[in-house]
Amino acid sequence: MQFAIVSRGDTRSAEIAQDLTEKLEAAGHTLSEEPRIVVSVGGDGTMLQAFHKYIDRLDETLLVGIHTGHLGFYADWQPDELDELTEMITSESFEPVSYPLVEVLIDYENGKTDRQLAMNDCTIKNYKRTLVCDLSIRDDYFETFRGDGLCISTPSGSTAYNKALGGAIVHPSIEAIQVTEMASINNLVYRTIGAPLLLPKHHQVKIKPHTKTEFELAFDHQEALSWSDVVSIRCAVAKEKVTFARFRPFPFWRRVRESFIEEGK
């Protein structure tokens, strides 16, 4: 089987990545730029890097994570389990598990449209002034938002920045996106819904700025990019999915409990 490894880059992660590479090659697998399996060594951030590195191979690639820090939602293998992981990859004793992604379409004044995908979330901010924009759902006006910004998250990303903003935790088997406000302005003059919105896969939210301005858009908290001359930003559940190689049960709600309530025993 062809494989690739994406490492966080610290000394420990690099050593584990090298050790796993040697074990997989000894088992007859091939290091490749067109991998069937991509192993992330680090944490959830490293998994997001692996996703974006191989984003053009979503239909052909399975992801699996080894965590070298705290237990993550995507990285669930321990560094001392490399032999077991090598054996299970070799025997192909895994189950593909797919999670929804968010599609972001950025429409420009010149008529062009840019398309991005995110595994966790897309954030829209305006650091120079208050973000003012109209939100429409299925092309039906919903509200005018005023505040710091908006976070549009996937179910698997709902435990990340979305949760910090007060959004709901959503099981990744639910095909939906969540729109969560960042410090919205609510007073006698300006009002927003003031609660996260969970939209099913056949609904699209359109975000239309009131004035010509420059936005800061970040996808999975990779480097924020500046976008100008934007007419609208449309977000919906993408037709593509990200697929993980699940070698053993690791229930989502157990991950939630162990990450936020109590450490696993």
Side-chain angles (χ1 to χ4, degrees):
M1 184 181 296
Q2 294 181 313
F3 73 94
I5 297 181
V6 176
S7 169
R8 182 165 56 186
D10 60 283
T11 301
R12 183 165 181 250
S13 298
E15 290 174 351
I16 293 168
Q18 181 60 37
D19 191 8
L20 181 60
T21 298
E22 293 173 359
K23 290 179 182 296
L24 288 172
E25 289 182 331
H29 304 289
T30 306
L31 192 64
S32 172
E33 287 300 314
E34 297 182 345
R36 172 61 175 158
I37 281 191
V38 175
V39 182
S40 161
V41 182
D44 285 347
T46 311
M47 180 64 79
L48 292 173
Q49 293 175 19
F51 165 76
H52 282 279
K53 182 175 181 178
Y54 294 99
I55 199 168
D56 295 329
R57 293 184 50 81
L58 293 178
D59 291 339
E60 297 85 15
T61 299
L62 303 170
L63 300 177
V64 61
I66 300 171
H67 65 85
T68 55
H70 296 293
L71 179 64
F73 278 86
Y74 297 127
D76 52 14
W77 283 84
Q78 300 277 2
D80 60 3
E81 298 178 310
L82 299 188
D83 288 334
E84 182 182 354
L85 178 57
T86 299
E87 181 180 342
M88 298 188 84
I89 290 176
T90 302
S91 62
E92 298 191 25
S93 55
F94 55 80
E95 176 187 1
V97 178
S98 297
Y99 290 169
L101 302 172
V102 60
E103 173 191 68
V104 184
L105 301 174
I106 304 102
D107 302 314
Y108 298 97
E109 291 181 349
N110 61 9
K112 293 184 178 180
T113 297
D114 192 14
R115 183 175 188 264
Q116 301 284 336
L117 294 175
M119 189 164 85
N120 261 12
D121 52 48
C122 166
T123 57
I124 305 168
K125 299 179 182 179
N126 186 342
Y127 292 107
K128 296 180 180 178
R129 57 180 64 87
T130 299
L131 177 65
V132 183
C133 53
D134 290 338
L135 268 66
S136 298
I137 299 174
R138 302 189 75 185
D139 291 324
D140 186 20
Y141 171 78
F142 182 76
E143 69 175 13
T144 298
F145 172 84
R146 292 173 175 83
D148 286 355
L150 295 164
C151 173
I152 298 90
S153 67
T154 65
S156 57
S158 66
T159 57
Y161 191 30
N162 168 76
K163 178 181 179 297
L165 294 170
I169 295 177
V170 181
H171 194 280
S173 65
I174 298 173
E175 294 188 74
I177 60 170
Q178 186 170 180
V179 182
T180 307
E181 300 175 353
M182 302 177 196
S184 59
I185 298 173
N186 281 283
N187 52 37
L188 293 177
V189 179
Y190 304 123
R191 301 296 301 170
T192 67
I193 192 66
L197 302 174
L198 191 64
L199 306 182
K201 64 179 181 179
H202 60 287
H203 286 195
Q204 180 190 76
V205 60
K206 178 186 287 187
I207 302 160
K208 189 172 182 179
H210 271 207
T211 58
K212 183 178 178 180
T213 186
E214 187 175 90
F215 295 92
E216 292 287 338
L217 268 67
F219 305 95
D220 292 329
H221 287 265
Q222 305 289 313
E223 183 179 358
L225 303 174
S226 296
W227 305 78
S228 58
D229 301 325
V230 172
V231 174
S232 64
I233 301 166
R234 295 174 286 147
C235 303
V237 176
K239 63 180 184 294
E240 301 94 337
K241 290 187 176 183
V242 60
T243 304
F244 297 88
R246 182 61 44 77
F247 295 91
R248 56 192 178 187
F250 196 176
F252 176 76
W253 296 117
R254 186 199 302 170
R255 297 186 189 214
V256 173
R257 185 188 73 240
E258 293 179 3
S259 295
F260 300 113
I261 301 175
E262 60 181 7
E263 185 177 356
K265 298 179 182 179

